[in-house]
Amino acid sequence: MKFKLSILIIIAFALFSCKNEKQKRVAETEKDIKKKEIIFSNIDKGWVFNTNPINSTSQNNTLTWSEWRLFLTELNQKPKKTIGAFQKKSTELSKKVMDLNNNIPLDFNKPQIKSRISTLITKVRMLDLFIHLENIPDHKVIVLVTEINEELVSLQNQMDKIVQKSKIPMEAGESDLIKMLDTTRAIPNVKPNPNLPRVE
C-alpha cells in the first residue's frame, strides 16, 4: 500500500513539474516573440537610406555607371513585414556594393574614390553580418545605416570634387611641369659601370 502511495505521489509530482515546465516554455516563447517584434520595429524605423543623388555628378553617374545605379536602386527598396526580408535585402546589398569595384568610370578610377568605395563595402558587409546574428543588435544596425548614409555622401562629394577639378583650365606650361614630375619618364639615375668600355 505504501509502495502504491509513493508511486502515486511521484507521478503527481512529475505531472505537476511537466505542467510548470510547459508554462515556462510558453512564457519564454512569448517573451522571445515580443523581443523580436521590438527588434523588427526598431530596424524598420531606422532602415532609411538617402539614395537621392546629392549633386549633378552623382545624377549623371546613375545614367552612365550601371553598378552605381543598381546599388542605389537596391538601397531605395525597403523590405517589409519580417526580419527575414531585411536579411535578404542586406545580403543583396552586400552583393551590389561589391560590384561597385567593377567598371568604375575612368574619370573616377582614382585612389580617393576606391578608398571610399572600400569603406562603403565594409559598412554594408558589417550590416549584413549584424542582421544575420541570432540575437540581432538592432541599435548597431541603425548606427550602421547612418554610417552608410554618411559614406554615400562622402563618395558623391568626392566624385563631384574630381569633376570640378577637371573643369579648371590648365595654365600655360602646367602640362610640361606635370610631365617633368612624372617619375616614369625620368632619366634613370644609374652610376656608370667602370668595367664597361666608354665611348669618348
Side-chain angles (χ1 to χ4, degrees):
M1 185 73 178
K2 286 183 179 181
F3 180 71
K4 288 181 181 179
L5 184 62
S6 59
I7 289 178
L8 280 173
I9 291 173
I10 291 172
I11 291 173
F13 181 73
L15 288 174
F16 183 72
S17 65
C18 286
K19 188 176 180 184
N20 282 345
E21 296 248 344
K22 187 176 180 183
Q23 288 173 344
K24 284 181 186 177
R25 274 188 270 137
V26 168
E28 286 176 13
T29 303
E30 288 175 3
K31 186 178 176 183
D32 192 43
I33 288 170
K34 286 180 184 176
K35 183 180 175 184
K36 286 181 178 177
E37 286 174 356
I38 291 170
I39 289 172
F40 172 78
S41 175
N42 291 341
I43 290 174
D44 190 46
K45 287 176 193 170
W47 193 278
V48 179
F49 291 104
N50 299 327
T51 58
N52 294 330
I54 62 170
N55 51 43
S56 60
T57 304
S58 181
Q59 180 68 43
N60 291 338
N61 280 339
T62 58
L63 303 174
T64 58
W65 187 10
S66 62
E67 287 80 6
W68 175 248
R69 181 180 62 250
L70 292 172
F71 177 66
L72 290 180
T73 303
E74 195 67 41
L75 271 178
N76 197 30
Q77 298 167 349
K78 185 176 179 179
K80 294 181 166 77
K81 298 190 180 180
T82 65
I83 285 290
F86 283 99
Q87 290 171 335
K88 285 179 185 175
K89 176 57 75 176
S90 67
T91 301
E92 197 60 35
L93 284 174
S94 189
K95 291 175 188 171
K96 297 286 188 212
V97 78
M98 292 297 289
D99 289 342
L100 288 179
N101 277 327
N102 304 335
N103 304 323
I104 298 174
L106 197 58
D107 295 343
F108 302 121
N109 200 356
K110 300 186 183 317
Q112 0 4 347
I113 296 293
K114 288 182 175 181
S115 68
R116 282 169 177 76
I117 289 173
S118 293
T119 307
L120 185 61
I121 288 171
T122 302
K123 300 288 183 188
V124 172
R125 301 219 41 202
M126 283 175 60
L127 174 72
D128 188 33
L129 172 79
F130 283 134
I131 208 157
H132 279 91
L133 292 175
E134 183 69 32
N135 293 320
I136 300 171
D138 52 333
H139 60 284
K140 287 186 179 179
V141 169
I142 294 166
V143 167
L144 278 168
V145 168
T146 306
E147 290 176 359
I148 288 168
N149 284 329
E150 290 169 3
E151 293 304 325
L152 284 169
V153 169
S154 174
L155 177 59
Q156 293 178 73
N157 284 336
Q158 187 61 46
M159 288 189 283
D160 193 51
K161 192 175 184 181
I162 288 171
V163 168
Q164 296 307 321
K165 276 187 177 181
S166 71
K167 291 179 181 177
I168 299 172
M170 283 194 176
E171 293 181 16
E174 188 176 354
S175 62
D176 294 334
L177 181 64
I178 290 171
K179 286 179 185 175
M180 288 174 33
L181 292 173
D182 186 5
T183 57
T184 59
R185 295 175 33 110
I187 299 171
N189 190 8
V190 180
K191 293 182 180 179
N193 188 343
N195 297 331
L196 294 175
R198 294 192 308 168
V199 177
E200 304 237 353

